[in-house]
Amino acid sequence: MEIPANLETLQAEQAGARLFRQNCVSCHGSPGVPASVQGLKPEPPNLLRAGRRNDPAQVFGKIKNGIPGTAMPAWGDQLPDQSIWALAAFLHHSRGISKGDFDALSSAETDGSPKSR
């Protein structure tokens, strides 16, 4: 799987953070917010924990295709590849993110122009 050039732009990370807040927090939690879905086996990991690798290519595949034998569904029929890559960029960049930084990043509006860090 080829990772897009300039994957971790501020615009992509903001888009990924918003998607994570909208679609992933209920199972994976976020800084200061525990997962609201309980009883899943195996328990979904804390994807924003400091020290996680969150390899973008692996993350992309897991989001797009789901993870067999777990509650992780495939999102490939619901999200375009660009959005899945934005989630991968956010998860790769934001390991160990604070609650305040997550809240700011996931609520930021972008004007659609490319931005880089």
Side-chain angles (χ1 to χ4, degrees):
M1 167 123 1
E2 187 172 329
I3 298 173
N6 300 317
L7 176 68
E8 291 182 24
T9 64
L10 179 58
Q11 182 181 12
E13 291 168 12
Q14 288 171 334
R18 285 191 304 275
L19 285 166
F20 188 86
R21 179 180 292 281
Q22 295 165 354
N23 299 295
C24 309
V25 169
S26 61
C27 293
H28 294 281
S30 67
V33 178
S36 59
V37 174
Q38 301 296 312
L40 298 177
K41 298 291 181 204
E43 184 176 317
N46 174 350
L47 297 175
L48 297 175
R49 177 181 52 81
R52 279 194 61 92
R53 292 186 185 171
N54 294 337
D55 174 83
Q58 289 179 359
V59 168
F60 179 89
K62 289 175 182 179
I63 295 170
K64 185 171 180 92
N65 303 312
I67 303 173
T70 74
M72 178 63 188
W75 288 86
D77 60 344
Q78 298 177 50
L79 294 174
D81 285 358
Q82 181 179 359
S83 294
I84 296 173
W85 279 119
L87 274 163
F90 166 70
L91 289 170
H92 185 255
H93 174 261
S94 299
R95 300 163 309 227
I97 192 171
S98 70
K99 180 180 180 347
D101 287 346
F102 175 72
D103 289 344
L105 195 63
S106 63
S107 63
E109 293 297 323
T110 60
D111 64 8
S113 62
K115 297 174 186 158
S116 60
R117 292 190 280 129

